Amino acid sequence: NGVDVKVSTSPVAVFLREEVCAISDHLAAVSLFQSEQWMNCLEHFDGWTDTSPEAEARMRRLIEKLKLRPLDEPGDVDSPLLRNQIDEQFLRAMVAAREGMAGVTQHTKKIMLTET
């Protein structure tokens, strides 16, 4: 679409740049370990996600509530209105994620303070 995400000040581009940097930092940190260490720890990561029928049903109910457009609905993907709607949804998701992370951080700080 001609957007240069390296210099764009769009909230979506800024968010994506931050995510790429975070992933790069994470990969740099995990590369400090040898493959044998990773293989020994993999058994602890079984079940990252809940694959039960109840979890699937819950996820389907949540997805059904999303405001999605039908696949056969004609649309102009270059429409400024559509771009603004997408940006707005990204912004809302980013705000919610940051608020959630701030809550976790505050909770972690409280736990650390009470343990010391």
Side-chain angles (χ1 to χ4, degrees):
N1 65 4
V3 175
D4 185 356
V5 295
K6 292 179 183 177
V7 295
S8 175
T9 57
S10 158
V12 174
V14 171
F15 173 75
L16 291 175
R17 273 197 310 271
E18 289 175 357
E19 290 298 302
V20 168
C21 289
I23 291 168
S24 178
D25 291 345
H26 178 73
L27 290 174
V30 298
S31 68
L32 299 175
F33 300 96
Q34 297 178 357
S35 62
E36 295 84 23
Q37 292 170 300
W38 280 110
M39 294 305 290
N40 289 334
C41 293
L42 284 179
E43 65 188 51
H44 302 293
F45 294 110
D46 185 35
W48 274 357
T49 59
D50 186 355
T51 57
S52 70
E54 295 83 14
E56 181 182 345
R58 184 173 53 249
M59 186 63 70
R60 287 182 183 276
R61 283 193 306 273
L62 291 171
I63 291 171
E64 286 174 356
K65 293 179 183 179
L66 295 175
K67 296 178 183 176
L68 301 176
R69 295 181 180 204
L71 290 174
D72 59 350
E73 178 181 311
D76 179 12
V77 294
D78 294 323
S79 160
L81 176 61
L82 181 57
R83 291 284 172 204
N84 287 338
Q85 290 173 342
I86 292 170
D87 279 350
E88 182 180 335
Q89 292 300 319
F90 267 110
L91 282 172
R92 288 182 184 180
M94 289 186 290
V95 167
R98 285 184 181 147
E99 288 173 352
M101 290 179 67
V104 169
T105 304
Q106 291 299 324
H107 179 70
T108 304
K109 285 181 182 177
K110 287 179 185 177
I111 291 172
M112 293 177 72
L113 289 174
T114 57
E115 290 179 354
T116 56

